Amino acid sequence: MLKRLFNTLFGASRPDAAQCQSIESIEHEGFLIYPEPQREGGQYRVAGRICKHIDGELKSHHFIRSDLCSSAEQANELMVEKAKNFIRHAQDEMFQSPRP
């Protein structure tokens, strides 16, 4: 059960190409960042996807944080900042399945 929770929060998945192209992206070091804030009550949770083509396959990592912002714009800005930091540290390893 914990493994599924961590996979949901931090795990890699493989959406189709249209899913990663439905929102305007920000390119960073060969990765595409898609901010997708989640509305929670009167606030917005920092969330989105990081995508990259690797060996002809589109990989995607869902990125959900505990941070809440008062506007979608603030959540988008914070998501991009955190995603860039995550990219610098994780690189392509973010797309690997978690170890059991």
Side-chain angles (χ1 to χ4, degrees):
M1 185 167 156
L2 277 177
K3 183 178 178 182
R4 186 170 26 163
L5 173 64
F6 283 113
N7 284 342
T8 300
L9 294 176
F10 307 107
S13 65
R14 295 185 177 110
D16 60 28
Q19 187 178 6
C20 272
Q21 294 172 357
S22 62
I23 299 170
E24 187 175 332
S25 66
I26 292 96
E27 193 279 329
H28 180 73
E29 296 184 13
F31 292 82
L32 297 173
I33 301 169
Y34 295 87
E36 299 170 329
Q38 297 176 352
R39 188 172 178 90
E40 287 191 24
Q43 297 181 314
Y44 293 86
R45 181 162 309 278
V46 173
R49 288 174 284 128
I50 301 171
C51 298
K52 184 178 183 182
H53 286 281
I54 299 175
D55 298 328
E57 183 179 0
L58 181 66
K59 304 279 187 164
S60 181
H61 179 83
H62 291 268
F63 195 90
I64 301 172
R65 304 293 299 181
S66 61
D67 306 281
L68 292 172
C69 299
S70 60
S71 72
E73 293 78 19
Q74 288 175 334
N76 285 345
E77 289 174 14
L78 188 55
M79 189 281 177
V80 170
E81 178 183 323
K82 289 182 177 279
K84 286 179 179 180
N85 189 44
F86 184 63
I87 289 167
R88 279 191 292 279
H89 290 93
Q91 293 293 313
D92 292 348
E93 291 180 17
M94 75 176 76
F95 302 116
Q96 295 177 6
S97 298
R99 296 179 187 181

